[in-house]
Amino acid sequence: MGALQSLSDEPEYRELAEKTGFSFEQIGILHKRFKQLSHNEDMLRRADLDTIPDLACNPIRTQIIEAFFDKRNFHQNGDGTVEEISFEEFLVVMSHFRPPALNMTEDQREKVRREKLRFLFNMHDTDNDGTITLEEYRHVVEELLSRSGALGKETAKGIADAAMLEVASISIGHMEPDEFYEGITFEHFLKILKDIEIETKMNIRFLNMDTTTLCNRDSSSIR
């Protein structure tokens, strides 16, 4: 407890808490996990995440790893990728998986929702051209529905397939014969996912912690 308490005396950690919404205790938990993953180094590399067993069978493993090294996800205006990240950058990316606080206003909740959807969009917009394909959209919907726990994998896949076809009919059906379909833009992405609750479905467990419960658990949540 003493080590976690001392974090509040560090200006950088106060700034991190304000920037990410994590408490000093949560920052301490995540810092411990960062050090475990980086083998006690100050910087984390792709290879450090590449060896995590829980991530090996994840169908979007590559996108998840790349998201941690994508400058678009650092709450900055940069683009491109980096070869290694600091703890601050790691924490900022992790904050995208943090569930919204219960006492948020509607405007704050909408801002969080938009940021989460932007993060999700960036994860699939791997070439940073501002669009994702219909197949990538189908995969996003399937992942979100599967995480709800209320639907089986095959049911989620069927709904995702239907959603992809619906978007295709709307997007392509309204095009002129000489127009070229360039994919789904972020603004379109927002509209077609407006009825899916994203706030509590984006979580991450491959770091040996669950961000949906991290906010309600103490330091024993590191395993």
Side-chain angles (χ1 to χ4, degrees):
M1 181 67 183
L4 293 176
Q5 183 64 37
S6 67
L7 293 178
S8 62
D9 298 326
E10 299 290 335
E12 62 182 294
Y13 283 102
R14 287 201 297 272
E15 291 176 9
L16 285 177
E18 292 174 3
K19 189 173 185 178
T20 65
F22 287 120
S23 69
F24 295 124
E25 183 178 17
Q26 292 156 9
I27 291 173
I29 292 170
L30 288 166
H31 187 259
K32 179 179 178 181
R33 186 56 178 147
F34 177 88
K35 285 296 189 179
Q36 290 172 342
L37 290 170
S38 67
H39 307 287
N40 217 33
E41 298 287 337
D42 291 332
M43 303 297 287
L44 188 71
R45 299 169 181 82
R46 285 176 178 79
D48 297 321
L49 298 181
D50 219 15
T51 58
I52 298 174
D54 289 346
L55 193 54
C57 298
N58 194 302
I60 56 170
R61 168 180 166 276
T62 301
Q63 291 98 316
I64 290 174
I65 291 177
E66 286 304 313
F68 279 88
F69 300 89
D70 189 332
K71 290 181 182 178
R72 294 175 296 176
N73 299 328
F74 297 161
H75 286 177
Q76 299 170 356
N77 294 322
D79 55 31
T81 60
V82 295
E83 294 302 314
E84 55 186 20
I85 57 173
S86 65
F87 174 62
E88 177 178 350
E89 290 161 340
F90 171 81
L91 197 66
V92 168
V93 174
M94 285 295 296
S95 71
H96 290 288
F97 296 95
R98 183 177 179 272
L102 296 176
N103 59 349
M104 277 187 173
T105 65
E106 284 302 314
D107 287 344
Q108 289 172 327
R109 187 172 289 273
E110 183 56 34
K111 182 174 182 290
V112 168
R113 174 183 173 79
R114 188 180 181 91
E115 288 176 351
K116 285 178 178 287
L117 284 170
R118 170 58 79 177
F119 178 84
L120 192 60
F121 185 87
N122 288 347
M123 186 184 290
H124 292 275
D125 178 22
T126 54
D127 58 1
N128 194 21
D129 70 346
T131 63
I132 61 174
T133 66
L134 286 170
E135 176 59 26
E136 287 167 338
Y137 167 70
R138 186 202 67 76
H139 196 80
V140 169
V141 174
E142 183 180 351
E143 282 290 306
L144 291 174
L145 292 174
S146 296
R147 290 180 185 278
S148 71
L151 298 173
K153 185 165 181 149
E154 288 304 313
T155 303
K157 184 177 183 301
I159 295 175
D161 287 340
M164 181 186 71
L165 292 174
E166 180 181 3
V167 170
S169 66
I170 294 172
S171 302
I172 300 174
H174 292 169
M175 291 170 57
E176 296 299 325
D178 59 344
E179 284 187 293
F180 176 73
Y181 179 67
E182 297 180 348
I184 300 170
T185 64
F186 178 61
E187 291 305 319
H188 192 189
F189 187 71
L190 286 176
K191 291 177 182 176
I192 58 185
L193 286 181
K194 64 182 177 63
D195 294 325
I196 294 183
E197 184 196 3
I198 186 69
E199 292 85 348
T200 59
K201 288 182 172 58
M202 276 182 64
N203 57 74
I204 191 165
R205 292 188 174 87
F206 70 85
L207 295 174
N208 285 342
M209 63 179 65
D210 183 352
T211 51
T212 60
T213 57
L214 175 64
C215 298
N216 299 318
R217 297 172 65 177
D218 58 23
S219 57
S220 64
S221 62
I222 283 287
R223 296 192 294 274

